[in-house]
Amino acid sequence: MNRTIPNGARILLAFIRKTEVGRDDRASYDVIYNNKQSKLPKPLTSMTYGEIIDAQPKWSKNFGSSAAGAYQFMKATLVDLAKENPSISGDDVFTPALQDQLGFALLLRRGYELFVAGKITRTEFGKRLSQEWASFPVLVATRGKHREVARGQSFYAGDGLNKALVKPEKVEAILDQVLATARAEAAAAKPKPVIVEKPVVADPGELEQSPMKSKTVWQWIITSVLVPALAVFQDWRVQLVIVGIVTLFAVYAIKRRFDLAKAVKELKAEFEA
């Protein structure tokens, strides 16, 4: 199990440790039911997965439950998690890191991703957590495992063994914090859009007009007509030179104007695509 645990889930896992075993420090990972860990031949975090599963029936008989570790895993739960995750070996040491990964797997079972995605409500997720950890209360009155239970009671109330160890308001506050953290983390991980700045084209007002509406075009057209007419009153050789020069400039200006208009239109189409 190499899946990274998101920050929102880490907050919730720390809260579960605190609620289930009364602490959330390193020592919380060595706790077994009823704080009987001192009766073990070696610390829980030094035992292998297989050793713990083999020992749990004896713990149930001697201590009242097989619950082990920071998240109080029952034997049936550890067996199921191993079946679901082939990467878990009976020789794996029951380290804090492994326990956290197993705890996260239980959160996923109970709908953690659905909760942070807004697909189930806080109340529903709270109920699912109370079904996994008996120390958690239901957040609204509901049908429990054995009878109807009120807000704040354990889902397993009525079995003579389990009761809620934390107020529903505290659970709600933590779940709000988890949700806010998860969404902030998702927003931070979202790729930022790349902004491409459009080049500035000189004289955009005139260049974006139709060529036949351009003042420049019409000025050259009129010049090419009037200048030859005025040249009638001058020497014919001068007239010829003037006509030639003006005509060449006029043709160049008109062609250039059409080329610029075409270039601007293609540039706009490229950036609007």
Side-chain angles (χ1 to χ4, degrees):
M1 297 178 64
N2 297 318
R3 185 166 185 169
T4 301
I5 301 175
N7 291 331
R10 290 183 184 278
I11 292 172
L12 183 52
L13 288 174
F15 181 69
I16 293 170
R17 293 197 301 273
K18 182 72 172 179
T19 304
E20 282 288 304
V21 301
R23 58 197 305 168
D24 62 358
D25 57 3
R26 172 61 177 77
S28 66
Y29 295 92
D30 283 307
V31 175
I32 67 171
Y33 182 75
N34 206 22
N35 284 294
K36 296 295 184 179
Q37 54 270 15
S38 61
K39 302 292 184 179
L40 302 181
K42 59 181 177 180
L44 196 68
T45 52
S46 297
M47 298 176 67
T48 66
Y49 204 92
E51 287 175 336
I52 291 171
I53 290 177
D54 290 342
Q56 282 180 305
K58 182 178 179 180
W59 297 347
S60 293
K61 180 180 179 181
N62 294 339
F63 307 138
S65 173
S66 65
Y71 307 102
Q72 294 292 276
F73 300 104
M74 307 294 284
K75 177 183 178 179
T77 301
L78 289 180
V79 171
D80 284 346
L81 287 170
K83 289 179 180 179
E84 292 175 1
N85 299 276
S87 62
I88 298 176
S89 166
D91 295 328
D92 289 338
V93 179
F94 207 54
T95 62
L98 177 56
Q99 291 187 45
D100 286 343
Q101 290 289 347
L102 295 172
F104 183 47
L106 293 182
L107 290 184
L108 294 176
R109 269 189 185 183
R110 294 300 179 177
Y112 174 83
E113 291 179 332
L114 296 176
F115 172 61
V116 300
K119 295 181 178 180
I120 61 174
T121 64
R122 182 182 65 180
T123 299
E124 173 61 23
F125 187 45
K127 177 183 176 181
R128 296 184 185 192
L129 292 176
S130 73
Q131 291 173 316
E132 188 66 51
W133 288 283
S135 62
F136 271 56
V138 297
L139 302 181
V140 294
T142 188
R143 175 67 191 179
K145 176 69 173 179
H146 306 288
R147 59 176 174 80
E148 294 293 327
V149 294
R151 168 180 165 85
Q153 290 186 305
S154 169
F155 183 82
Y156 298 94
D159 65 357
L161 179 64
N162 292 296
K163 65 179 181 178
L165 300 178
V166 63
K167 297 292 184 181
E169 294 82 7
K170 182 62 176 177
V171 175
E172 290 167 341
I174 289 294
L175 292 184
D176 287 343
Q177 183 183 355
V178 167
L179 186 59
T181 301
R183 291 183 174 175
E185 189 173 27
K190 187 177 180 180
K192 296 182 179 180
V194 178
I195 300 175
V196 179
E197 295 185 0
K198 297 182 180 181
V200 178
V201 180
D203 192 17
E206 185 177 348
L207 292 180
E208 291 181 349
Q209 295 177 0
S210 168
M212 296 310 297
K213 293 182 179 180
S214 169
K215 295 179 180 179
T216 303
V217 172
W218 279 107
Q219 286 173 351
W220 281 107
I221 291 175
I222 293 172
T223 300
S224 66
V225 173
L226 291 181
V227 171
L230 293 174
V232 172
F233 301 99
Q234 300 180 19
D235 183 85
W236 69 270
R237 286 166 294 190
V238 176
Q239 294 174 4
L240 185 60
V241 172
I242 293 175
V243 169
I245 293 174
V246 172
T247 301
L248 287 174
F249 271 105
V251 171
Y252 173 80
I254 294 171
K255 182 180 183 303
R256 178 61 177 166
R257 185 58 186 79
F258 273 91
D259 290 342
L260 288 173
K262 182 180 179 181
V264 170
K265 184 179 294 184
E266 290 175 349
L267 191 62
K268 288 181 63 180
E270 179 181 346
F271 282 96
E272 291 174 355

